[in-house]
Amino acid sequence: MSTTEPAPAESGAAAAGTTEPAPAESAAPAASGAAAAGEKKLRPGRTNATKQRLFEASMELIGERGAAGVTVDEIAAAAGVSKGTVYYNFGSKSDLIAQLLRHGVDIMLVRLQDVRGKANDPLESMNNMVGQAMEFMDDYPSFARLWVSEIWRTPGEWSAVFAELRAELLAVIGSAVESVASGYKVNESIARGSLEAAIFGAIFVVGLDRQTYNPERTREQSVAAVMTIMHGYVIK
Amino acid sequence: MSTTEPAPAESGAAAAGTTEPAPAESAAPAASGAAAAGEKKLRPGRTNATKQRLFEASMELIGERGAAGVTVDEIAAAAGVSKGTVYYNFGSKSDLIAQLLRHGVDIMLVRLQDVRGKANDPLESMNNMVGQAMEFMDDYPSFARLWVSEIWRTPGEWSAVFAELRAELLAVIGSAVESVASGYKVNESIARGSLEAAIFGAIFVVGLDRQTYNPERTREQSVAAVMTIMHGYVIK
DNA sequence: CTAACTAAACTGACCAGTCAGTTCAAATAG
DNA sequence: CTATTTGAACTGACTGGTCAGTTTAGTTAG
């Protein structure tokens, strides 16, 4: 058989995450603490570690210079592997980025889930969630940049991926807003969907803006600015 | 020196807009109605018209596929001019984009200035401004995409341009917020800068989000969602 | 008359994707 | 316990193509 037929990965980013039934933990370098426990008995050994390094390297480079502005050679070099390895683990540059997007969203979702129900008051819960999201922005600024620079490209290469990931994230925000709406009297004339989009967008933009143009501002200030939306939503 | 030194343009994007002391009108294809009247007596003749078409073509293409994803040949073809003309009018692709950014911001600033003081109530004035901005998003969706996809690239090619343009836009929003703050009792614990960033960001994100994922939502809904920020800022 | 523009060819760099070959850890055989 | 085999993981030179920017000789229009 001449063709080596290598591709053992080919995950496709469909429903669940990685091959293993343990979708979480994968890549949070400084997760909260309650992550998984066993990680030594990973049979496939190298591959996961390699993918991990490729994710980290890509996240950094692509966040800085954009998906189209980074070459596969650069990513490979930054990850300390050869170009071939990138194509062994991912079918194409485009596929690498698609999986990178899912990877980042998975991390963010885990974090947001972590603060759910930690507070009794829905508004306080919302505040914690925004804080957590803002922290994520600080930890993965490059992911945020990649996100905002590609998500609105009309029929872009990753439209389908973005549509799905966006829906997953908005669902989390939506349920938090829902809690507020059932615990407080709110302005019903505001369309729920637009409100969620505004919150979500404000988180990203305020976070990026602070990092890029006003690093002296505190995370609390940013959270407060975003939470202003919620305070305008509830009727006092 | 062998270099032909063609560049008659080379505006540089400093203080005022175009060469002529009439900064307005330049490019609104379907402005409100009170636009300029005479356009035949343009002294520099063709150049302005050509630049105009290049701006329009670039805005469209770059908004769709990103600055790095569009070739100069494509832009020239879309504008109906030759590639040489692009380099005659602009020194480089990068310069074209820098001037394109200023051009777009100039249009937006003119529109925002148009609604200033049209209302007596600061909050209503703010509402009009957000509505105007949202209309701009509808008219120039590609500009908005270009903006969000490039403005947060750390030391990117147009960092300096963005810093200046961002400041100009934020100043307009800031003065509107200022009016609200002097006409109403507001929550002083919210940092003004973060608030402005949140408003500005929400406008872009809500606008783009509606166009891309929820075209059925009305502009009024989007405006209302953004204005929720202001309603949370004032103390009732 | 000349600034603005055209058309087409050219250059030099850069880059996504390929593929024949190498490494090495674990499985199997002796 | 050592020798051999297997194949997943990885390597890096190479290919075919693309693209920003240049140049030149000629055309158009104010």
Coordinates of all heavy atoms in Angstrom, one line a residue, chain A residues 67-160:
Chain A
A67 N -5.8 35.1 10.9 CA -5.7 33.7 10.3 C -5.0 33.7 9.0 O -4.1 32.8 8.7 CB -7.1 33.1 10.1
A68 N -5.3 34.7 8.1 CA -4.6 34.7 6.8 C -3.2 35.2 6.9 O -2.4 35.0 6.0 CB -5.4 35.6 5.9
G69 N -2.8 35.8 8.0 CA -1.5 36.4 8.1 C -0.5 35.5 8.7 O 0.7 35.9 8.8
V70 N -0.9 34.4 9.1 CA 0.1 33.4 9.7 C 0.3 32.2 8.8 O -0.7 31.7 8.2 CB -0.4 33.0 11.0 CG1 0.5 31.9 11.6 CG2 -0.5 34.2 12.0
T71 N 1.5 31.8 8.6 CA 1.8 30.6 7.8 C 1.8 29.4 8.6 O 2.1 29.4 9.8 CB 3.1 30.8 7.0 OG1 4.2 30.7 7.9 CG2 3.2 32.1 6.3
V72 N 1.6 28.3 7.9 CA 1.6 27.0 8.6 C 3.0 26.7 9.1 O 3.2 26.1 10.2 CB 1.1 25.9 7.7 CG1 1.3 24.5 8.3 CG2 -0.3 26.1 7.3
D73 N 4.0 27.1 8.4 CA 5.4 27.0 8.8 C 5.7 27.7 10.1 O 6.4 27.1 11.0 CB 6.4 27.5 7.7 CG 6.3 26.7 6.4 OD1 5.5 26.9 5.6 OD2 7.2 25.8 6.3
E74 N 5.1 28.9 10.2 CA 5.3 29.6 11.5 C 4.7 28.9 12.7 O 5.3 28.8 13.7 CB 4.7 31.0 11.3 CG 5.6 32.0 10.6 CD 4.8 33.3 10.3 OE1 3.6 33.2 10.0 OE2 5.4 34.3 10.5
I75 N 3.5 28.4 12.4 CA 2.8 27.7 13.5 C 3.6 26.5 13.9 O 3.8 26.2 15.1 CB 1.4 27.3 13.1 CG1 0.5 28.5 12.8 CG2 0.7 26.4 14.1 CD1 -0.8 28.3 12.2
A76 N 4.1 25.7 12.9 CA 4.8 24.5 13.2 C 6.1 24.9 14.0 O 6.4 24.3 15.0 CB 5.2 23.8 11.9
A77 N 6.8 25.9 13.6 CA 8.0 26.3 14.2 C 7.7 26.7 15.7 O 8.4 26.3 16.6 CB 8.7 27.5 13.5
A78 N 6.7 27.5 15.9 CA 6.4 28.0 17.2 C 6.0 26.8 18.1 O 6.2 26.9 19.3 CB 5.2 29.0 17.1
A79 N 5.4 25.8 17.6 CA 5.0 24.7 18.4 C 6.1 23.7 18.5 O 6.0 22.7 19.3 CB 3.8 24.0 17.7
G80 N 7.2 23.9 17.8 CA 8.3 23.0 17.9 C 8.2 21.7 17.2 O 8.7 20.7 17.6
V81 N 7.3 21.7 16.2 CA 7.2 20.5 15.4 C 7.4 20.8 13.9 O 7.6 22.0 13.6 CB 5.8 19.9 15.5 CG1 5.5 19.5 17.0 CG2 4.7 20.8 15.0
S82 N 7.4 19.8 13.1 CA 7.6 20.1 11.7 C 6.3 20.4 11.0 O 5.2 20.1 11.5 CB 8.3 18.9 11.0 OG 7.3 17.9 10.8
K83 N 6.4 21.0 9.8 CA 5.2 21.3 9.1 C 4.3 20.1 8.8 O 3.1 20.1 8.9 CB 5.6 22.0 7.8 CG 4.4 22.5 7.0 CD 4.9 23.2 5.7 CE 3.9 24.0 5.1 NZ 4.4 24.7 3.9
G84 N 5.0 19.0 8.5 CA 4.3 17.7 8.2 C 3.4 17.3 9.4 O 2.3 16.8 9.2
T85 N 3.9 17.6 10.6 CA 3.1 17.2 11.7 C 1.8 17.9 11.8 O 0.8 17.4 12.2 CB 3.9 17.5 13.0 OG1 5.1 16.7 12.9 CG2 3.1 17.0 14.3
V86 N 1.8 19.1 11.4 CA 0.6 19.9 11.4 C -0.4 19.2 10.4 O -1.6 19.0 10.8 CB 0.8 21.4 10.9 CG1 -0.5 22.1 10.8 CG2 1.7 22.1 11.8
Y87 N 0.1 18.8 9.3 CA -0.8 18.1 8.3 C -1.1 16.7 8.7 O -2.1 16.1 8.2 CB -0.3 18.2 6.9 CG -0.4 19.6 6.4 CD1 0.5 20.6 6.5 CD2 -1.6 20.0 5.8 CE1 0.3 21.9 6.1 CE2 -1.8 21.3 5.3 CZ -0.9 22.2 5.4 OH -1.1 23.5 5.0
Y88 N -0.3 16.2 9.6 CA -0.6 14.8 10.1 C -1.8 14.9 11.1 O -2.7 14.1 11.1 CB 0.6 14.2 10.7 CG 0.3 12.8 11.3 CD1 0.3 11.7 10.5 CD2 0.1 12.7 12.6 CE1 0.0 10.5 11.0 CE2 -0.2 11.4 13.2 CZ -0.3 10.3 12.3 OH -0.5 9.1 12.8
N89 N -1.8 15.9 11.9 CA -2.8 16.1 13.0 C -4.0 16.8 12.5 O -5.1 16.5 13.1 CB -2.2 16.8 14.2 CG -1.3 15.9 15.0 OD1 -1.7 15.1 15.8 ND2 0.0 16.0 14.8
F90 N -3.9 17.6 11.5 CA -5.0 18.4 11.0 C -5.0 18.2 9.5 O -3.9 18.2 8.9 CB -5.0 19.8 11.4 CG -4.9 20.0 12.9 CD1 -3.7 20.2 13.5 CD2 -6.0 20.1 13.7 CE1 -3.6 20.3 14.9 CE2 -6.0 20.2 15.1 CZ -4.7 20.4 15.7
G91 N -6.1 18.2 8.9 CA -6.2 18.0 7.5 C -5.7 19.2 6.7 O -5.2 19.1 5.6
S92 N -5.9 20.4 7.2 CA -5.5 21.6 6.5 C -5.4 22.7 7.5 O -5.8 22.6 8.7 CB -6.6 21.9 5.5 OG -7.8 22.2 6.2
K93 N -4.9 23.8 7.0 CA -4.8 25.0 7.9 C -6.2 25.4 8.4 O -6.4 25.7 9.5 CB -4.2 26.2 7.1 CG -4.0 27.4 7.9 CD -3.5 28.5 6.9 CE -3.2 29.8 7.7 NZ -2.8 30.9 6.8
S94 N -7.1 25.3 7.5 CA -8.5 25.7 7.8 C -9.1 24.8 8.9 O -9.8 25.3 9.8 CB -9.3 25.6 6.5 OG -10.6 26.2 6.7
D95 N -8.8 23.5 8.8 CA -9.3 22.6 9.7 C -8.6 22.8 11.1 O -9.3 22.8 12.1 CB -8.9 21.1 9.3 CG -9.5 20.1 10.2 OD1 -10.6 20.2 10.6 OD2 -8.7 19.2 10.6
L96 N -7.4 23.1 11.1 CA -6.7 23.5 12.4 C -7.4 24.6 13.0 O -7.7 24.6 14.2 CB -5.3 23.9 12.1 CG -4.5 24.7 13.2 CD1 -4.4 23.9 14.5 CD2 -3.1 25.1 12.7
I97 N -7.8 25.6 12.3 CA -8.4 26.8 12.9 C -9.8 26.5 13.3 O -10.2 26.9 14.4 CB -8.4 28.0 11.8 CG1 -7.0 28.4 11.6 CG2 -9.3 29.1 12.3 CD1 -6.8 29.4 10.5
A98 N -10.5 25.7 12.6 CA -11.9 25.3 13.0 C -11.8 24.6 14.4 O -12.6 24.8 15.3 CB -12.5 24.4 12.0
Q99 N -10.9 23.6 14.5 CA -10.7 22.9 15.7 C -10.2 23.8 16.9 O -10.6 23.6 18.0 CB -9.8 21.7 15.6 CG -10.4 20.6 14.7 CD -9.6 19.3 14.8 OE1 -9.2 18.9 15.9 NE2 -9.4 18.6 13.7
L100 N -9.4 24.8 16.5 CA -8.9 25.8 17.5 C -10.1 26.6 18.0 O -10.2 26.8 19.3 CB -7.9 26.7 16.8 CG -7.3 27.8 17.7 CD1 -6.6 27.2 18.8 CD2 -6.5 28.7 16.8
L101 N -11.0 26.9 17.2 CA -12.2 27.7 17.6 C -13.0 26.9 18.6 O -13.4 27.3 19.7 CB -13.0 28.1 16.4 CG -12.5 29.2 15.6 CD1 -13.2 29.3 14.3 CD2 -12.4 30.5 16.3
R102 N -13.2 25.6 18.3 CA -14.0 24.8 19.2 C -13.3 24.6 20.5 O -13.9 24.7 21.6 CB -14.3 23.4 18.6 CG -14.7 22.4 19.6 CD -15.7 21.4 19.1 NE -16.9 22.0 18.5 CZ -18.0 22.3 19.3 NH1 -18.0 22.2 20.6 NH2 -19.0 22.9 18.7
H103 N -12.0 24.4 20.4 CA -11.2 24.2 21.6 C -11.3 25.4 22.5 O -11.5 25.2 23.7 CB -9.7 24.1 21.1 CG -8.7 23.9 22.2 ND1 -8.6 22.8 23.0 CD2 -7.8 24.8 22.7 CE1 -7.7 22.9 23.9 NE2 -7.1 24.1 23.7
G104 N -11.2 26.6 22.0 CA -11.3 27.8 22.8 C -12.7 27.9 23.4 O -12.8 28.3 24.6
V105 N -13.7 27.7 22.7 CA -15.1 27.8 23.2 C -15.3 26.8 24.3 O -15.9 27.1 25.3 CB -16.1 27.6 22.1 CG1 -17.5 27.5 22.6 CG2 -16.1 28.8 21.2
D106 N -14.7 25.6 24.1 CA -14.9 24.6 25.2 C -14.3 25.1 26.5 O -14.9 24.9 27.6 CB -14.2 23.3 24.8 CG -15.0 22.5 23.8 OD1 -16.2 22.8 23.7 OD2 -14.5 21.6 23.1
I107 N -13.1 25.7 26.4 CA -12.5 26.2 27.6 C -13.4 27.3 28.3 O -13.7 27.3 29.5 CB -11.1 26.8 27.3 CG1 -10.2 25.7 26.8 CG2 -10.6 27.5 28.6 CD1 -8.8 26.3 26.3
M108 N -13.9 28.2 27.4 CA -14.7 29.2 27.9 C -16.0 28.7 28.5 O -16.4 29.1 29.6 CB -15.1 30.2 26.8 CG -15.8 31.5 27.3 SD -15.8 32.8 26.1 CE -16.7 34.1 27.0
L109 N -16.6 27.7 27.9 CA -17.9 27.1 28.4 C -17.7 26.5 29.8 O -18.5 26.7 30.7 CB -18.4 26.1 27.4 CG -19.1 26.7 26.2 CD1 -19.5 25.6 25.2 CD2 -20.4 27.5 26.6
V110 N -16.6 25.8 29.9 CA -16.3 25.1 31.2 C -16.2 26.2 32.3 O -16.7 26.0 33.4 CB -15.0 24.3 31.1 CG1 -14.5 23.9 32.5 CG2 -15.2 23.1 30.2
R111 N -15.5 27.2 32.0 CA -15.4 28.3 33.0 C -16.7 28.9 33.3 O -16.9 29.2 34.5 CB -14.4 29.4 32.4 CG -13.0 28.9 32.3 CD -12.1 30.2 32.3 NE -10.7 29.8 32.1 CZ -9.8 30.7 32.4 NH1 -10.1 31.9 32.7 NH2 -8.5 30.3 32.2
L112 N -17.5 29.2 32.3 CA -18.8 29.8 32.6 C -19.7 28.9 33.4 O -20.3 29.3 34.4 CB -19.5 30.2 31.3 CG -18.8 31.3 30.5 CD1 -19.6 31.7 29.3 CD2 -18.6 32.6 31.4
Q113 N -19.6 27.6 33.1 CA -20.4 26.6 33.8 C -20.0 26.6 35.3 O -20.8 26.4 36.2 CB -20.2 25.3 33.2 CG -21.6 24.6 32.8 CD -22.0 25.1 31.4 OE1 -21.3 24.9 30.5 NE2 -23.2 25.6 31.3
D114 N -18.7 26.8 35.5 CA -18.1 26.8 36.8 C -18.8 27.8 37.8 O -18.9 27.5 39.0 CB -16.6 27.1 36.8 CG -15.8 25.8 36.8 OD1 -16.4 24.7 36.6 OD2 -14.6 25.9 36.9
V115 N -19.2 28.9 37.3 CA -19.8 29.9 38.2 C -21.3 29.9 38.3 O -21.9 30.6 39.1 CB -19.3 31.4 37.8 CG1 -17.9 31.5 37.9 CG2 -19.8 31.7 36.4
R116 N -21.9 29.0 37.5 CA -23.3 28.9 37.5 C -23.8 28.4 38.8 O -23.4 27.4 39.4 CB -23.8 27.9 36.4 CG -23.7 28.6 35.0 CD -24.9 28.1 34.2 NE -26.1 28.2 34.9 CZ -27.3 27.7 34.4 NH1 -27.3 27.2 33.2 NH2 -28.4 27.9 35.0
G117 N -24.7 29.1 39.4 CA -25.3 28.7 40.7 C -24.4 28.9 41.9 O -24.8 28.5 43.0
K118 N -23.3 29.6 41.7 CA -22.5 29.8 42.9 C -23.0 31.0 43.7 O -22.7 31.1 44.9 CB -21.0 30.2 42.4 CG -20.2 29.0 41.9 CD -19.5 28.3 43.1 CE -18.8 27.1 42.7 NZ -17.6 27.4 41.8
A119 N -23.9 31.7 43.1 CA -24.5 32.8 43.9 C -26.1 32.6 43.9 O -26.6 32.0 43.0 CB -24.2 34.2 43.2
N120 N -26.7 33.2 44.9 CA -28.1 33.0 45.0 C -28.9 34.1 44.1 O -29.8 33.8 43.4 CB -28.6 33.1 46.4 CG -28.1 31.9 47.2 OD1 -27.9 30.9 46.6 ND2 -28.0 32.1 48.5
D121 N -28.4 35.3 44.2 CA -29.0 36.4 43.5 C -28.7 36.3 42.0 O -27.5 36.2 41.6 CB -28.5 37.7 44.1 CG -29.1 38.9 43.3 OD1 -30.3 38.9 43.0 OD2 -28.3 39.8 42.9
P122 N -29.7 36.3 41.1 CA -29.4 36.2 39.7 C -28.5 37.3 39.1 O -27.7 37.0 38.3 CB -30.8 36.3 39.1 CG -31.7 35.8 40.1 CD -31.1 36.3 41.4
L123 N -28.7 38.5 39.7 CA -27.8 39.6 39.2 C -26.4 39.4 39.6 O -25.4 39.7 38.9 CB -28.3 40.9 39.7 CG -29.3 41.7 38.8 CD1 -29.6 43.0 39.4 CD2 -28.6 41.9 37.4
E124 N -26.2 38.9 40.8 CA -24.9 38.6 41.3 C -24.2 37.5 40.5 O -23.1 37.5 40.2 CB -24.9 38.2 42.8 CG -23.5 38.3 43.5 CD -23.6 37.8 44.9 OE1 -24.6 38.1 45.6 OE2 -22.6 37.1 45.3
S125 N -25.1 36.5 40.2 CA -24.6 35.4 39.4 C -24.1 35.9 38.0 O -23.1 35.5 37.5 CB -25.8 34.4 39.2 OG -25.4 33.2 38.6
M126 N -25.0 36.8 37.5 CA -24.6 37.3 36.2 C -23.3 38.1 36.3 O -22.4 38.0 35.4 CB -25.7 38.3 35.8 CG -25.6 38.8 34.4 SD -26.6 37.8 33.3 CE -25.8 38.2 31.7
N127 N -23.2 38.8 37.4 CA -21.9 39.6 37.6 C -20.7 38.6 37.6 O -19.7 38.9 37.0 CB -22.0 40.3 38.9 CG -21.0 41.4 39.0 OD1 -21.1 42.5 38.5 ND2 -19.9 41.1 39.7
N128 N -20.9 37.5 38.3 CA -19.8 36.5 38.3 C -19.5 36.0 37.0 O -18.3 35.8 36.6 CB -20.2 35.4 39.3 CG -20.3 35.8 40.7 OD1 -19.7 36.9 41.1 ND2 -20.9 35.0 41.5
M129 N -20.5 35.7 36.2 CA -20.3 35.2 34.9 C -19.6 36.2 34.0 O -18.6 35.8 33.3 CB -21.7 34.9 34.3 CG -21.6 34.2 33.0 SD -23.3 33.8 32.4 CE -23.3 32.1 32.6
V130 N -20.0 37.4 34.0 CA -19.3 38.4 33.2 C -17.8 38.5 33.7 O -16.9 38.6 32.9 CB -20.0 39.8 33.3 CG1 -19.2 40.9 32.6 CG2 -21.3 39.7 32.7
G131 N -17.6 38.5 35.0 CA -16.2 38.5 35.6 C -15.4 37.3 35.0 O -14.3 37.5 34.6
Q132 N -16.0 36.2 35.0 CA -15.3 35.0 34.6 C -15.0 35.1 33.1 O -13.9 34.8 32.6 CB -16.2 33.8 34.8 CG -15.6 32.4 34.6 CD -14.7 32.1 35.8 OE1 -14.7 32.8 36.8 NE2 -13.9 31.0 35.6
A133 N -15.9 35.6 32.3 CA -15.7 35.8 30.9 C -14.6 36.8 30.7 O -13.7 36.6 29.8 CB -17.0 36.3 30.2
M134 N -14.6 37.8 31.5 CA -13.5 38.9 31.4 C -12.2 38.3 31.7 O -11.1 38.6 31.1 CB -13.9 40.0 32.3 CG -13.3 41.4 31.8 SD -13.9 41.9 30.2 CE -15.5 42.6 30.6
E135 N -12.2 37.4 32.7 CA -10.9 36.7 33.0 C -10.4 35.8 31.9 O -9.2 35.8 31.6 CB -11.2 35.8 34.3 CG -9.9 35.5 35.0 CD -10.2 34.7 36.3 OE1 -11.0 35.2 37.1 OE2 -9.6 33.6 36.5
F136 N -11.4 35.2 31.3 CA -11.0 34.4 30.1 C -10.4 35.2 29.0 O -9.4 34.9 28.4 CB -12.3 33.7 29.5 CG -12.1 32.9 28.3 CD1 -11.5 31.7 28.3 CD2 -12.4 33.5 27.0 CE1 -11.3 31.0 27.1 CE2 -12.2 32.8 25.8 CZ -11.6 31.5 25.9
M137 N -10.9 36.4 28.8 CA -10.4 37.4 27.8 C -8.9 37.7 28.2 O -8.1 37.8 27.3 CB -11.1 38.7 27.8 CG -12.6 38.6 27.5 SD -12.8 38.5 25.7 CE -13.9 37.1 25.7
D138 N -8.7 37.8 29.5 CA -7.3 38.1 29.9 C -6.4 36.9 29.7 O -5.2 37.1 29.3 CB -7.3 38.5 31.4 CG -7.9 39.8 31.7 OD1 -8.1 40.6 30.7 OD2 -8.1 40.2 32.8
D139 N -6.9 35.7 29.9 CA -6.1 34.6 29.7 C -5.8 34.2 28.3 O -4.8 33.6 27.9 CB -6.7 33.4 30.5 CG -6.7 33.6 32.0 OD1 -5.9 34.4 32.5 OD2 -7.4 32.9 32.7
Y140 N -6.9 34.4 27.5 CA -6.7 34.0 26.1 C -7.1 35.2 25.2 O -8.0 35.1 24.4 CB -7.7 32.9 25.8 CG -7.4 31.6 26.5 CD1 -8.0 31.4 27.8 CD2 -6.5 30.7 26.1 CE1 -7.7 30.2 28.5 CE2 -6.2 29.5 26.8 CZ -6.8 29.3 28.0 OH -6.5 28.2 28.7
P141 N -6.3 36.3 25.3 CA -6.6 37.4 24.4 C -6.6 37.1 23.0 O -7.4 37.7 22.2 CB -5.5 38.4 24.8 CG -4.4 37.6 25.4 CD -5.1 36.5 26.1
S142 N -5.7 36.2 22.6 CA -5.6 35.9 21.2 C -6.9 35.2 20.7 O -7.3 35.4 19.5 CB -4.4 35.0 20.9 OG -3.2 35.7 21.2
F143 N -7.5 34.4 21.5 CA -8.7 33.7 21.1 C -9.8 34.8 20.8 O -10.5 34.7 19.8 CB -9.2 32.7 22.1 CG -10.5 32.1 21.8 CD1 -10.5 31.0 20.9 CD2 -11.7 32.6 22.3 CE1 -11.7 30.5 20.5 CE2 -12.9 32.0 21.9 CZ -12.9 30.9 21.0
A144 N -9.9 35.7 21.7 CA -10.9 36.8 21.5 C -10.7 37.5 20.2 O -11.6 37.8 19.5 CB -10.9 37.7 22.7
R145 N -9.4 37.8 19.9 CA -9.1 38.5 18.7 C -9.5 37.7 17.5 O -10.0 38.2 16.5 CB -7.6 38.9 18.6 CG -7.3 40.1 19.4 CD -5.8 40.5 19.2 NE -5.1 40.2 20.4 CZ -4.9 41.1 21.4 NH1 -5.4 42.3 21.2 NH2 -4.2 40.8 22.4
L146 N -9.1 36.4 17.5 CA -9.5 35.5 16.4 C -11.0 35.5 16.2 O -11.5 35.6 15.1 CB -9.0 34.1 16.7 CG -9.5 33.0 15.8 CD1 -9.2 33.3 14.4 CD2 -8.9 31.7 16.2
W147 N -11.7 35.4 17.3 CA -13.1 35.4 17.3 C -13.7 36.6 16.6 O -14.4 36.5 15.6 CB -13.7 35.3 18.7 CG -15.1 35.1 18.8 CD1 -16.1 36.1 18.9 CD2 -15.9 33.8 18.8 NE1 -17.3 35.5 19.0 CE2 -17.2 34.2 18.9 CE3 -15.5 32.5 18.8 CZ2 -18.2 33.2 19.0 CZ3 -16.4 31.5 18.8 CH2 -17.8 31.9 18.9
V148 N -13.4 37.8 17.1 CA -14.1 39.0 16.6 C -13.6 39.3 15.1 O -14.3 39.9 14.4 CB -13.8 40.2 17.4 CG1 -14.5 40.1 18.8 CG2 -12.4 40.5 17.6
S149 N -12.4 38.8 14.8 CA -12.0 39.1 13.4 C -12.5 38.2 12.4 O -12.4 38.4 11.2 CB -10.4 39.2 13.4 OG -9.9 37.9 13.5
E150 N -13.1 37.1 12.8 CA -13.6 36.2 11.8 C -15.1 35.9 11.8 O -15.7 35.5 10.8 CB -12.9 34.8 11.9 CG -11.4 34.9 11.7 CD -11.0 35.2 10.2 OE1 -11.8 35.0 9.3 OE2 -9.9 35.7 10.0
I151 N -15.7 36.1 13.0 CA -17.1 35.6 13.1 C -18.1 36.3 12.2 O -19.1 35.7 11.9 CB -17.6 35.7 14.6 CG1 -18.9 35.0 14.8 CG2 -17.6 37.2 15.1 CD1 -19.3 34.8 16.2
W152 N -17.8 37.6 11.8 CA -18.8 38.2 11.0 C -18.5 38.3 9.5 O -19.2 39.0 8.8 CB -19.1 39.7 11.5 CG -19.6 39.7 12.9 CD1 -20.9 39.2 13.3 CD2 -19.0 40.1 14.1 NE1 -21.1 39.3 14.6 CE2 -19.9 39.9 15.1 CE3 -17.8 40.7 14.4 CZ2 -19.7 40.2 16.5 CZ3 -17.5 41.0 15.7 CH2 -18.4 40.8 16.7
R153 N -17.6 37.5 9.1 CA -17.3 37.4 7.7 C -18.4 36.6 7.0 O -18.6 35.4 7.3 CB -16.0 36.6 7.4 CG -14.8 37.5 7.6 CD -13.7 37.1 6.6 NE -12.5 37.5 7.3 CZ -12.2 38.7 7.7 NH1 -13.1 39.6 7.6 NH2 -11.0 38.9 8.3
T154 N -19.1 37.3 6.1 CA -20.3 36.7 5.6 C -20.3 35.3 5.3 O -20.6 34.5 6.1 CB -20.9 37.6 4.5 OG1 -20.0 38.7 4.2 CG2 -22.2 38.3 5.0
P155 N -20.0 34.8 4.1 CA -19.9 33.4 4.0 C -18.5 33.0 4.1 O -17.8 32.8 3.0 CB -20.5 33.0 2.6 CG -20.8 34.4 2.0 CD -20.1 35.4 2.7
G156 N -18.0 33.0 5.3 CA -16.6 32.7 5.5 C -16.3 31.3 5.6 O -17.2 30.4 5.5
E157 N -15.0 30.9 5.7 CA -14.7 29.5 5.8 C -15.3 28.8 6.9 O -15.5 27.6 6.9 CB -13.1 29.4 5.9 CG -12.4 29.2 4.6 CD -10.9 29.1 4.8 OE1 -10.4 30.2 5.1 OE2 -10.4 28.1 4.6
W158 N -15.5 29.5 8.0 CA -15.9 28.8 9.2 C -17.3 29.2 9.7 O -17.7 29.1 10.9 CB -14.9 29.1 10.4 CG -13.5 28.7 9.9 CD1 -13.0 27.5 9.8 CD2 -12.5 29.6 9.6 NE1 -11.7 27.6 9.3 CE2 -11.4 28.9 9.2 CE3 -12.4 31.0 9.5 CZ2 -10.2 29.4 8.8 CZ3 -11.2 31.6 9.1 CH2 -10.1 30.8 8.7
S159 N -18.1 29.7 8.7 CA -19.5 30.2 9.1 C -20.2 29.1 9.9 O -20.8 29.5 10.9 CB -20.3 30.4 7.8 OG -19.6 31.3 7.0
A160 N -20.2 27.9 9.4 CA -21.0 26.9 10.1 C -20.5 26.7 11.5 O -21.2 26.6 12.5 CB -20.9 25.6 9.3

